[in-house]
Amino acid sequence: MNKNEFRALQELKYKTGQIDRRTFVRSLLATSIALPTALSIASSVEAATPKRGGLLRVGMGHGSTTDTLDPSTSENGFTLATNYAWSNHLTEVGPDGQLRPELAESYSSSDAKTWVFDLRQGVEFHNGKTMTSEDVIASLQYHMGDESKSAAKGLLTAVTSMKADGPNRVIIELASANADFPFIVSDYHLAIMPVVDGALSVNTGMGTGGYILESFDPGVRAKLKRNPNYWKADSAHFDEVELISIIDVAARQNAMMNGDVDVIDRVDPKTVALLGRAPNLDILELTGTLHYTFPMRLDVAPFDNYDLRMALKYSLKRQELIDKILLGHGALGNDHPISTANRFHASGLEQREFDADKAAFHYKKSGHSGAIQLSSSDAAFAGAVDAAQLIAASAAEAGINIEVVREPKDGYWSNVWNKKGWSACYWGGRPTEDWMFSAAYTNDTEWNDTAWKGTESSAKFNDIVVAARAELDDNKRRDMYAECQRLINDDGGTICPMFANYIIAHSKKVAHGADVASNWDLDGCKISERWWFA
Amino acid sequence: MHPIVATVIQRLFLGIATLFVVSIIIFSSIEMLPGDFGQAVLGQAATEETVAAFRKELGLDKPAYIRYFDWVAGVIQGDLGTSFSGRAASGVDRSRPVAELIAPRLWNTLFLAGMTAIIAVPLALFLGITAALYRNTYYDKIVSASTLTTISFPEFFVAYILILLLTALWPVFPSLANIDVSTPLGERIYRSALPALTLTLVIVAHMMRMTRAAIINLLANPYIQMARLSGATQREVILKHALPNAWAPIATVIAFNLAYLVVGVVVVEVVFVYPGVGQLMVDSVTSRDIPVVQACALIFAITYIFLNLLADIIGIITNPRLLHPK
């Protein structure tokens, strides 16, 4: 056993209470670590051990008076974090990005079409009712059917039937195979709610979650207290949680610096360096799935031309965009929507760089002449107009003339995006590859903002996406999704220069696990359940 | 009928007539806003069909004049309508009545305005009167210079300076004024201290300068000279002889500033995360939640009209000559 292994072992023993602090420090001294260092390691191990108690106050850059407790209407980080605090789902995305069972004890399928969810037994809702398959089916059913206006309706269209097999098993049949179905039921809309007197208790904030909702003031705050009966062991450590909507970024950062809140999300990249100098707080930065794109529509000339698209793809200085628009707080995009936070990111795909020669070559081959219009507005993302200007400047080096059209913010999503030939856009990202592709790249979605259909590559792409959906072998899926990413990168209409980071600031008193989820902001919006006061 | 009562009734009717004109202005300016609720709520996901369906559901497809009369008829019956929000994507209509949405926010705003007024008005009057009393002394100059300095800075700047001084360097008050209905009064005052202080600094100068100017203006009048000749001290001259005649302009300026406290403090609300009605209105404009915007605008208009009416009445009571305009 070498020194590091020994230390790791001792840390584990200390954490789990097998040895006391004195023994732990002595054993570190034995590995020739100096006393002050040993003491500080002991303290950091202590901090890494979750402790119960305290009031967590989270300042969030989201929240509006239009928010409701109905999970089918959740759309911003505030409602996400609130819903994840009072409710559970069949599955959840863990801090390591891997899917794990939550209210389902286990799930399985032999053909990816019939999914069997075995429910955890003895889980109680806040009203004392025991969760059964009836609640699960009613909660999912709520988002289905023609009259449903749930934002999650599209996720469950493939479900043809749901059957209860006793109180603790649900069998779900899909119209077509989908290996990612367990991922889909982790979606924040699909909270499991109780059936009370024959009807689903919606919009009450009643669930099985680690916190019981005390008050909810839309656009202002949500207050929750710990659920003493929480079924999940070693989770939900705070006694109370208060989620506060602080939309103004300066006010949010002020509140953080003055200790009026313990954690804030969406720190301004422009001032994060200054904020980081405050002695009482830490900055946590994670690359998520949020990405900024410049979709070119293949049904609008000249973007139907492969070489022209390629010329434009080569005329972006991606690192410059990250440095100047995201001020360095982002990761390089490779003209496809899959982030390193996703499971099957194609790391083998060569990173596309600015190349004036290649751009000029393809531009010449395309035979296009004259200005190319790029529509942009800060409605797409903060700095989108500046980003478009930077693209125009770098393209000029390759002899391509790009004319930036500044569009009004109002009505941008209805009048410009998905209509004009080339525009700026953002995508919040999706937890699975299939989900992302089905949202914006397959030929059957109306959000296919590149109108990428009809080409040979897109036909191949659509076939692979369908095939991958039915494939249960992860290695094969990895290859298939890598090919999908390559096809979008090569033939697709999207230019995806960058992924934005989630930037969180938190008080030094607050601690989190070694892994922090990046499927959503604030540890997958499950901060109230996963973090604790050191 | 007492002439004052008659005048008040006459003014009240004028106020209601003004409100009607204002309601037309509010409605037509909201009509001119680009985009609508459907587009704003659906954002990236808006398709023409869903927006059209939304419009129909909300009655936005009806002609503007019909919607205007519907709204006015509702308001007269005390019904401000229901908010558009909450109809976002849910199958069931979960929208809240506008009155329920606005009431707690309006109460917060009035609380902050009241708290500020309790500090600012006596302070401004005191400073104004003493500045007039010790006119052209160093005291007068220092008071004028410092109040003019605070009014010259934008509100958010004053707010951040106060945060820097009173929460960061000397932690006395919290920088978050996020109160709610359950906050006890003491806590409420403590949490609202910084916003109230900011607003005080912003409005004191205006009222103080007006008080000072109104009094000094009167000091040149013959009846003041008469008072002086009959042996009154400077203090008596100002408090007994000049001030009663100066109330009308002072009341007007105080009314103006109080109205400002109710309708114009959105910046301060944002900086201190104070859940007031200004913030609600800005949110509603962004999401095109028209019933809420209209109700807020109407409440603001009523505030202005009512406070101006009050100032007029005070002016008339303290100066009966105004009852008989030439």
Side-chain angles (χ1 to χ4, degrees):
Chain A
M1 197 191 299
N2 72 22
K3 238 193 259 180
N4 287 337
E5 280 171 23
F6 173 70
R7 196 180 127 188
L9 180 72
Q10 291 300 101
E11 276 182 18
L12 186 69
K13 278 189 187 165
Y14 181 35
K15 225 189 266 187
T16 50
Q18 294 174 44
I19 54 175
D20 62 6
R21 185 180 167 99
R22 182 179 292 260
T23 318
F24 176 69
V25 171
R26 200 184 301 142
S27 62
L28 287 188
L29 293 177
T31 63
S32 73
I33 287 173
L35 183 62
T37 322
L39 288 175
S40 81
I41 290 173
S43 300
S44 73
V45 171
E46 272 164 32
T49 318
K51 271 204 295 255
R52 175 72 58 82
L55 161 69
L56 177 76
R57 298 156 305 167
V58 188
M60 306 190 68
H62 289 276
S64 90
T65 45
T66 56
D67 292 343
T68 73
L69 285 171
D70 179 352
S72 77
T73 67
S74 290
E75 48 145 8
N76 63 48
F78 193 86
T79 40
L80 253 79
T82 311
N83 290 349
Y84 272 134
W86 61 257
S87 70
N88 291 126
H89 301 65
L90 283 178
T91 57
E92 74 166 327
V93 177
D96 53 358
Q98 298 298 319
L99 192 71
R100 60 191 193 192
E102 197 175 31
L103 283 179
E105 204 165 38
S106 64
Y107 51 84
S108 61
S109 174
S110 53
D111 56 358
K113 259 180 102 166
T114 306
W115 284 94
V116 179
F117 290 88
D118 283 312
L119 304 181
R120 216 169 275 279
Q121 300 187 16
V123 175
E124 280 183 9
F125 288 104
H126 298 156
N127 62 358
K129 181 181 188 292
T130 304
M131 181 207 52
T132 64
S133 46
E134 180 199 22
D135 304 306
V136 172
I137 290 178
S139 297
L140 296 180
Q141 197 82 51
Y142 177 61
H143 304 276
M144 295 159 57
D146 288 339
E147 71 281 12
S148 168
K149 284 191 195 162
S150 168
K153 190 177 170 182
L155 297 175
L156 298 175
T157 42
V159 175
T160 51
S161 84
M162 285 192 287
K163 282 199 302 277
D165 180 8
N168 297 314
R169 175 177 285 187
V170 176
I171 301 171
I172 299 178
E173 297 271 358
L174 305 180
S176 54
N178 188 347
D180 277 336
F181 189 73
F183 246 105
I184 285 180
V185 291
S186 77
D187 181 60
Y188 57 89
H189 297 104
L190 307 181
I192 303 303
M193 297 173 281
V195 174
V196 178
D197 300 330
L200 190 67
S201 169
V202 180
N203 217 23
T204 52
M206 173 87 68
T208 57
Y211 293 89
I212 298 170
L213 194 71
E214 287 201 305
S215 71
F216 178 66
D217 193 353
V220 181
R221 80 172 84 209
K223 276 186 187 166
L224 305 108
K225 67 170 194 293
R226 191 173 192 282
N227 173 6
N229 283 336
Y230 195 36
W231 58 272
K232 212 186 264 189
D234 196 25
S235 200
H237 307 290
F238 303 105
D239 287 337
E240 288 174 284
V241 173
E242 196 173 328
L243 305 170
I244 307 163
S245 170
I246 312 179
I247 307 288
D248 184 62
V249 66
R252 198 159 64 244
Q253 294 184 184
N254 260 323
M256 183 69 232
M257 280 194 290
N258 297 325
D260 288 329
V261 291
D262 305 302
V263 182
I264 56 168
D265 63 357
R266 295 175 42 125
V267 174
D268 188 350
K270 291 193 190 88
T271 49
V272 63
L274 290 170
L275 189 66
R277 289 209 302 237
N280 56 338
L281 55 85
D282 282 327
I283 303 285
L284 180 67
E285 230 179 287
L286 301 159
T287 300
T289 52
L290 169 67
H291 54 286
Y292 300 150
T293 63
F294 293 92
M296 304 176 276
R297 292 187 66 82
L298 269 72
D299 57 357
V300 177
F303 305 106
D304 51 350
N305 185 305
Y306 170 83
D307 283 296
L308 185 96
R309 293 200 298 276
M310 203 45 99
L312 293 177
K313 286 177 186 176
Y314 275 118
S315 50
L316 261 77
K317 292 184 176 165
R318 285 149 220 273
Q319 190 58 48
E320 184 188 33
L321 287 173
I322 292 179
D323 291 343
K324 291 186 178 159
I325 305 298
L326 299 177
L327 297 140
H329 301 279
L332 279 174
N334 202 10
D335 293 342
H336 62 71
I338 304 306
S339 129
T340 48
N342 287 95
R343 273 181 306 171
F344 300 123
H345 173 78
S347 48
L349 196 62
E350 192 194 346
Q351 174 64 46
R352 186 165 287 141
E353 310 268 1
F354 172 75
D355 190 325
D357 295 337
K358 280 187 187 158
F361 166 78
H362 284 289
Y363 185 64
K364 196 161 169 244
K365 206 171 151 199
S366 77
H368 182 82
S369 65
I372 299 169
Q373 288 194 332
L374 169 55
S375 300
S376 188
S377 157
D378 281 1
F381 55 89
V385 177
D386 296 337
Q389 303 282 8
L390 288 172
I391 293 174
S394 58
E397 288 178 37
I400 303 173
N401 179 9
I402 292 177
E403 183 193 325
V404 176
V405 184
R406 212 191 164 106
E407 304 279 359
K409 271 189 179 183
D410 276 309
Y412 182 80
W413 299 112
S414 13
N415 305 328
V416 180
W417 174 78
N418 221 355
K419 298 237 167 24
K420 299 265 170 90
W422 191 18
S423 61
C425 176
Y426 83 95
W427 282 95
R430 299 292 186 272
T432 71
E433 290 71 14
D434 180 57
W435 201 334
M436 187 66 234
F437 292 148
S438 317
Y441 294 90
T442 53
N443 52 17
D444 51 358
T445 164
E446 62 176 312
W447 291 344
N448 187 334
D449 59 6
T450 51
W452 188 44
K453 27 192 131 174
T455 69
E456 203 178 305
S457 297
S458 74
K460 196 172 164 200
F461 168 83
N462 278 295
D463 291 344
I464 300 178
V465 169
V466 173
R469 216 174 272 161
E471 181 58 62
L472 285 167
D473 180 342
D474 270 1
N475 285 326
K476 285 189 189 149
R477 295 182 82 203
R478 184 177 301 282
D479 292 342
M480 292 163 115
Y481 284 131
E483 176 65 7
C484 287
Q485 290 167 56
R486 191 192 68 74
L487 288 168
I488 297 180
N489 164 285
D490 177 57
D491 184 62
T494 205
I495 296 180
C496 173
M498 52 192 166
F499 287 84
N501 283 356
Y502 293 124
I503 313 178
I504 302 169
H506 66 86
S507 147
K508 281 202 160 64
K509 284 184 238 153
V510 184
H512 53 77
D515 284 323
V516 177
S518 59
N519 53 330
W520 300 107
D521 209 341
L522 293 175
D523 209 344
C525 272
K526 290 204 161 192
I527 181 167
S528 55
E529 172 167 316
R530 291 179 182 164
W531 291 28
W532 63 89
F533 277 116
Chain B
M1 197 189 287
H2 195 281
I4 290 183
V5 179
T7 317
V8 167
I9 291 172
Q10 186 203 350
R11 291 292 169 104
L12 261 178
F13 275 106
L14 270 176
I16 290 169
T18 318
L19 259 186
F20 265 103
V21 177
V22 170
S23 74
I24 294 174
I25 297 174
I26 293 172
F27 190 84
S28 43
S29 32
I30 288 171
E31 275 304 292
M32 282 182 244
L33 282 177
D36 68 11
F37 180 73
Q39 287 176 344
V41 144
L42 295 168
Q44 200 185 15
T47 63
E48 252 163 61
E49 297 87 67
T50 47
V51 170
F54 244 126
R55 259 184 215 146
K56 196 152 189 263
E57 188 188 326
L58 301 172
L60 287 174
D61 53 342
K62 287 192 239 165
Y65 69 93
I66 291 184
R67 277 181 286 134
Y68 172 73
F69 285 116
D70 283 351
W71 173 54
V72 171
V75 171
I76 290 173
Q77 294 164 37
D79 174 19
L80 290 169
T82 43
S83 155
F84 285 176
S85 58
R87 311 198 200 198
S90 53
V92 194
D93 184 0
R94 269 178 241 302
S95 49
R96 300 199 282 165
V98 172
E100 186 189 300
L101 204 65
I102 291 183
R105 302 286 196 117
L106 186 63
W107 164 240
N108 287 346
T109 295
L110 292 177
F111 178 83
L112 181 60
M115 189 170 157
T116 311
I118 288 173
I119 306 172
V121 174
L123 182 69
L125 289 179
F126 173 78
L127 291 178
I129 293 169
T130 48
L133 195 58
Y134 307 110
R135 182 153 51 121
N136 294 334
T137 61
Y138 276 108
Y139 173 78
D140 178 24
K141 282 175 187 158
I142 289 170
V143 167
S144 288
S146 49
T147 52
L148 284 176
T149 310
T150 57
I151 203 181
S152 310
F153 287 123
E155 289 156 42
F156 66 88
F157 184 77
V158 176
Y160 285 134
I161 293 292
L162 284 182
I163 288 181
L164 176 69
L165 294 178
L166 294 180
T167 65
L169 297 179
W170 295 282
V172 185
F173 295 115
S175 73
L176 271 193
N178 55 342
I179 55 168
D180 60 25
V181 275
S182 64
T183 316
L185 182 68
E187 170 91 9
R188 202 173 247 267
I189 293 175
Y190 171 65
R191 294 213 153 260
S192 311
L194 276 189
L197 222 52
T198 309
L199 290 171
T200 302
L201 289 176
V202 170
I203 64 168
V204 150
H206 195 186
M207 293 189 286
M208 171 259 155
R209 294 285 297 176
M210 198 63 201
T211 309
R212 180 182 177 277
I215 291 174
I216 289 174
N217 206 17
L218 288 168
L219 290 182
N221 281 1
Y223 82 94
I224 296 289
Q225 273 181 336
M226 188 61 220
R228 283 220 175 95
L229 286 174
S230 60
T233 59
Q234 176 77 345
R235 183 185 300 257
E236 278 171 348
V237 165
I238 285 180
L239 292 180
K240 272 195 191 157
H241 302 279
L243 191 58
N245 269 319
W247 276 123
I250 295 174
T252 310
V253 126
I254 290 178
F256 178 81
N257 277 292
L258 292 187
Y260 166 80
L261 286 179
V262 175
V263 312
V265 298
V266 62
V267 174
V268 174
E269 285 177 13
V270 168
V271 170
F272 293 104
V273 200
Y274 190 87
V277 79
Q279 178 82 66
L280 177 70
M281 186 174 182
V282 171
D283 284 354
S284 308
V285 171
T286 321
S287 64
R288 303 285 184 274
D289 194 345
I290 309 297
V292 180
V293 180
Q294 285 173 337
C296 289
L298 204 61
I299 288 170
F300 292 173
I302 291 172
T303 310
Y304 259 101
I305 292 172
F306 172 74
L307 286 171
N308 274 311
L309 187 69
L310 204 63
D312 278 359
I313 294 170
I314 290 175
I316 291 169
I317 291 172
T318 57
N319 190 350
R321 275 178 303 174
L322 292 174
L323 274 178
H324 313 285
K326 282 171 209 153

